[in-house]
Amino acid sequence: MEKKQKSKSSLKMRAISTPKTKAKSLEAAPRVHTEDTAFPVVGIGASAGGLEAFTKLFSNLPPDTGMAFVLIQHLSPQHESLLPEIISRATTMSVVEVKDRTRVVPNHVYVIPPNATMGFHDGCLRLTPRGEHEQPHLPIDFFFRSLSDEMKTNAIGIVLSGTGSDGSEGLKVLKGEGGISFAQEPDSARFKGMPQRAINVDHLDFILPPEQIALELLKISRLPFVHASLSGATIDQDIHETADTDKILTLVRQSTGVDFLRYKRTTVRRRILRRMAVNKVERFSDYYALLKESRTEQNALFDDILINVTWFFRDPEEYERMKAVIFPALIKNRRLGDPIRVWSAGCATGEEAYSIAIALLEYLGDKLGHYPIQIFASDLSESCIAKARTGKYTDSISENVSPERLAKFFVKSDAGYQVNKLVRDLCVFAKQDLVNDPPYSKLDFISCRNVLIYLESSLQQKALTVFNYVLKPTGFLVLGISETPNVAAKFFNRIGKKGKIYSVNPKSAQARPVFTNSKNLVDNTFSGGGRASFSSVALDTVERETDRLLAAHYAPPSVVINENLEIIQFRGDTSPFLVNQTGRANFQILKMARDILAPHLKSLIEAAKKGAAAKSGSIKVRNGDKLVLVSLEVIPVRALSTSRCFLILFTKPDASSSAQD
């Protein structure tokens, strides 16, 4: 679970990479000291076909929603825009073309002028000249990022008709900060490209035609807490009652196994409020009732709390510091063939893990063959891990990835870009709770950026204890730019005044952390006779060794069995190979295995009892109407001296394997 929060300096940081005139304009603006903007600001982006969509939306929207509307249209830089005049015919709200530092007020419509990039800062719309060589030009993404940075839960983003992918990544960031996201239903759009790309990113709350978007905005505007500031206004007594939040989080824990009770309460409440707005629910007690009845909503709240938003080469200066400080130390005195082991903790959809891999490849150059790279990337979200494994991203990553890197490390497709196989093969992705699940071991480098800021101090300390335990004495830790946990000095020494790179404190005691996550055991480990024969410490040891083996084998579907051939843990989807029998539960592997597999498993297990891994050839397995080819591998788990366990992998067979019937 990677928590992604942009700092107030993010707008300036982004300006640095654009032409100097833009940077100067943003830096020169004084901060306006006014009350916080406590009303929603709606950013609406469109390109080709956008005029028709704008008109339909505003024709169905009353003039007194209490919201402000900002239109970002792809405009020709050489021609004057008629958009304000045309929008004025569809609404009675005041419609103005933006000038630099225009202050935003409710019930107004603000239109971007031609030849400009527009951001939102201190309640004002800020204009900077569009650079002549600014490629790609993604004004909608830029505005959504700045809007979400400033407005958090009071930001609403809408992507309407257009070509390309502008807006998709911006909506992702906006939702990550607590805002609400919309896209036009593609069949209602004259050009489907932009809304479809936004849908593909999978960070949307609503997919509707413009007329229905207007109705949803009206409903949201009438919710009592929408216009209130979380910093102090009294929204509803339920919001300030700890018991209500605790009941909701307890329900989420029962559903997902993840305990958010020790996450920072302001962040958690903000995410709950966002889900309440999406569901048009006014009170926490009513939302709790909805949660009890809807597993779908439980999963949606879980995903929202995780805030899985990131991008490639986030904080580019930090990657340069890695190349200057960490990478040289990693290969100094390293034996040839000794792998460089990295953990990206809270990897979200994989951009950070792939960025580290690319940075390492660039640094090693022709020395790559001397030092194998092993990057383990973990997150709490299964959906994020699934996306990360594909390595597929939209065109908008070109905003943060240079053309040279795109050409060298990515493959272009109609849908966007995919990380090439060289880079993907360096990264192993797995679902994991970084403070409660057994971690990876003997690591050279851990990157855990913008995760700790969402945890209370007790969880921060536990996470740092884990990092200290699994890093080599010469290892490094990288935290997020805005993270400076007070307990870090107990375990690590900060290197330099810039960035957040730490080395292991040699004086810190590397006591073994206690891993207490019960959900993975409850859901994936069955309480049959197999588990009863192991103590919790022993089972934890088995799981840790299994994690290492799975990482080495790219985590195919698998089970762990004890010496009595009873399954003590399931990992991944084993349903094509194992079947639950009717009657009394029986987790004996040879009873659960499909008929064609049982004799193969029996012989492989007998062979593995001699101490070496045993593997079958390709076997045809019938799963319903489908024939599935699988290769079985049984590996001894050398974790205990008194009890033997075996890891059984169900893998795709080698192309050269001949099928066994």
Side-chain angles (χ1 to χ4, degrees):
M1 173 189 72
E2 184 176 355
K3 312 305 179 189
K4 292 83 183 175
Q5 182 177 10
K6 292 188 71 178
S7 66
K8 286 288 184 180
S9 64
S10 61
L11 193 58
K12 297 178 183 180
M13 293 283 290
R14 290 172 56 80
I16 292 171
S17 64
T18 57
K20 293 182 179 179
T21 54
K22 177 182 291 190
K24 183 177 180 180
S25 174
L26 287 172
E27 294 287 354
R31 183 173 182 87
V32 182
H33 296 282
T34 60
E35 295 182 357
D36 291 339
T37 307
F39 54 87
V41 176
V42 184
I44 310 174
S47 180
L51 182 57
E52 176 184 337
F54 284 143
T55 302
K56 289 181 179 179
L57 191 154
F58 283 106
S59 296
N60 289 274
L61 197 64
D64 57 351
T65 60
M67 299 175 170
F69 301 89
V70 182
L71 274 56
I72 310 95
Q73 167 85 334
H74 286 191
L75 299 170
S76 170
Q78 286 81 31
H79 297 90
E80 186 175 335
S81 173
L82 298 177
L83 189 57
E85 179 183 344
I86 297 171
I87 297 298
S88 295
R89 301 170 189 165
T91 179
T92 58
M93 285 186 282
S94 297
V95 181
V96 296
E97 186 173 88
V98 174
K99 299 182 184 299
D100 189 31
R101 304 182 190 182
T102 296
R103 177 154 296 280
V104 173
V105 295
N107 303 322
H108 282 62
V109 180
Y110 302 91
V111 180
I112 188 173
N115 202 26
T117 297
M118 182 166 63
F120 191 84
H121 189 55
D122 286 340
C124 295
L125 295 168
R126 310 299 307 277
L127 299 180
T128 55
R130 174 181 171 181
E132 293 181 7
H133 304 292
E134 190 178 335
Q135 295 294 334
H137 181 55
L138 302 171
I140 304 171
D141 277 332
F142 186 90
F143 181 78
F144 284 169
R145 288 178 188 269
S146 65
L147 179 66
S148 60
D149 183 40
E150 180 94 356
M151 298 300 294
K152 310 296 183 188
T153 51
N154 269 337
I156 298 175
I158 303 172
V159 169
L160 300 176
S161 174
T163 59
S165 63
D166 194 12
S168 59
E169 290 297 318
L171 282 185
K172 180 179 175 181
V173 174
L174 183 143
K175 183 177 177 180
E177 293 288 3
I180 298 175
S181 56
F182 290 80
Q184 183 173 356
E185 199 284 316
D187 288 342
S188 70
R190 178 166 293 186
F191 293 90
K192 302 179 181 181
M194 277 175 38
Q196 188 60 58
R197 289 292 176 86
I199 293 168
N200 293 345
V201 172
D202 195 26
H203 279 266
L204 292 176
D205 296 305
F206 299 97
I207 304 170
L208 300 167
E211 301 90 336
Q212 293 184 30
I213 291 176
L215 296 179
E216 289 297 329
L217 289 174
L218 179 59
K219 293 175 184 177
I220 292 171
S221 74
R222 291 174 175 171
L223 294 172
F225 54 77
V226 165
H227 298 276
S229 169
L230 287 177
S231 61
T234 300
I235 302 168
D236 185 305
Q237 189 173 358
D238 282 341
I239 296 176
H240 297 284
E241 293 177 359
T242 301
D244 289 316
T245 304
D246 287 351
K247 284 168 60 179
I248 289 172
L249 296 183
T250 299
L251 186 60
V252 173
R253 182 182 62 190
Q254 293 169 349
S255 172
T256 67
V258 179
D259 188 355
F260 291 115
L261 287 168
R262 287 192 288 171
Y263 281 54
K264 288 185 177 176
R265 196 51 59 97
T266 53
T267 299
V268 170
R269 281 181 170 166
R270 187 182 301 133
R271 311 311 295 182
I272 294 173
L273 283 173
R274 205 196 80 80
R275 293 306 308 170
M276 290 169 65
V278 169
N279 287 281
K280 277 80 72 178
V281 176
E282 297 187 7
R283 297 176 59 88
F284 267 36
S285 56
D286 294 334
Y287 184 64
Y288 175 70
L290 170 64
L291 274 181
K292 287 199 298 184
E293 300 299 323
S294 174
R295 181 61 184 262
T296 300
E297 183 58 29
Q298 292 169 18
N299 292 336
L301 178 59
F302 171 78
D303 287 339
D304 265 22
I305 295 176
L306 292 183
I307 318 179
N308 290 300
V309 178
T310 187
W311 51 92
F312 281 95
F313 297 99
R314 185 177 187 179
D315 302 320
E317 298 87 352
E318 203 71 349
Y319 287 90
E320 295 306 312
R321 281 188 279 269
M322 290 180 197
K323 290 183 177 181
V325 176
I326 297 178
F327 297 171
L330 293 185
I331 64 172
K332 185 179 181 180
N333 300 324
R334 181 177 293 272
R335 292 176 299 176
L336 294 181
D338 183 14
I340 297 171
R341 293 169 59 84
V342 181
W343 181 16
S344 174
C347 68
T349 44
E351 289 92 332
E352 179 182 272
Y354 289 131
S355 296
I356 293 172
I358 290 170
L360 266 171
L361 289 171
E362 290 174 336
Y363 179 80
L364 291 175
D366 56 7
K367 296 180 182 178
L368 175 61
H370 299 168
Y371 309 108
I373 299 172
Q374 298 174 349
I375 298 178
F376 308 106
S378 64
D379 198 89
L380 273 170
S381 170
E382 290 182 349
S383 61
C384 283
I385 288 298
K387 178 175 175 57
R389 287 190 182 118
T390 70
K392 295 179 179 179
Y393 303 94
T394 65
D395 290 334
S396 58
I397 67 168
S398 57
E399 187 176 0
N400 301 297
V401 182
S402 69
E404 294 77 17
R405 282 173 169 161
L406 287 173
K408 187 173 183 180
F409 299 108
F410 294 81
V411 178
K412 185 72 176 74
S413 69
D414 292 340
Y417 291 93
Q418 183 177 27
V419 179
N420 69 21
K421 191 174 186 302
L422 170 66
V423 179
R424 295 203 313 275
D425 284 351
L426 302 179
C427 302
V428 179
F429 294 94
K431 180 185 176 184
Q432 184 183 49
D433 184 332
L434 69 88
V435 295
N436 288 322
D437 285 339
Y440 308 100
S441 61
K442 297 181 181 179
L443 298 168
D444 296 293
F445 166 32
I446 296 175
S447 178
C448 182
R449 302 169 68 194
N450 303 303
V451 175
L452 300 187
I453 54 175
Y454 293 96
L455 308 180
E456 292 183 351
S457 59
S458 61
L459 276 189
Q460 289 183 0
Q461 176 159 343
K462 184 168 183 181
L464 290 166
T465 302
V466 171
F467 298 156
N468 177 264
Y469 176 71
V470 300
L471 277 169
K472 295 176 181 177
T474 55
F476 295 90
L477 170 68
V478 176
L479 300 179
I481 294 297
S482 57
E483 293 175 314
T484 310
N486 295 329
V487 293
K490 179 180 178 181
F491 304 101
F492 299 96
N493 295 324
R494 185 173 176 182
I495 300 175
K497 295 182 179 180
K498 294 183 178 180
K500 293 298 173 69
I501 296 177
Y502 297 81
S503 62
V504 174
N505 183 350
K507 298 180 181 179
S508 60
Q510 289 188 302
R512 188 182 190 281
V514 177
F515 303 106
T516 58
N517 191 335
S518 61
K519 175 62 180 178
N520 287 345
L521 300 180
V522 170
D523 274 1
N524 300 321
T525 308
F526 292 83
S527 56
R531 187 177 175 192
S533 62
F534 288 85
S535 68
S536 59
V537 174
L539 183 58
D540 177 47
T541 307
V542 171
E543 288 183 334
R544 185 169 182 177
E545 176 67 4
T546 301
D547 281 336
R548 186 190 68 79
L549 292 169
L550 284 175
H553 290 81
Y554 292 91
S558 60
V559 295
V560 180
I561 62 172
N562 62 14
E563 59 187 357
N564 298 319
L565 310 191
E566 296 165 317
I567 299 172
I568 61 173
Q569 190 173 75
F570 291 82
R571 291 171 179 252
D573 181 12
T574 59
S575 60
F577 320 112
L578 305 179
V579 180
N580 291 318
Q581 304 292 339
T582 57
R584 187 173 180 178
N586 186 334
F587 299 111
Q588 222 271 356
I589 182 65
L590 299 182
K591 295 288 187 182
M592 292 191 68
R594 294 188 183 272
D595 291 342
I596 189 66
L597 296 179
H600 295 284
L601 281 170
K602 184 177 181 180
S603 61
L604 291 172
I605 293 168
E606 288 301 319
K609 285 181 178 179
K610 297 178 182 179
K615 187 173 183 179
S616 75
S618 177
I619 304 170
K620 293 180 181 179
V621 180
R622 183 165 293 281
N623 180 22
D625 296 332
K626 296 180 180 179
L627 270 179
V628 179
L629 289 177
V630 65
S631 179
L632 305 175
E633 186 170 6
V634 180
I635 307 172
V637 180
R638 299 181 181 87
L640 302 171
S641 58
T642 57
S643 301
R644 290 190 298 179
C645 293
F646 301 91
L647 172 64
I648 300 176
L649 303 173
F650 302 91
T651 62
K652 292 182 179 179
D654 298 333
S656 59
S657 300
S658 58
Q660 303 175 27
D661 293 316

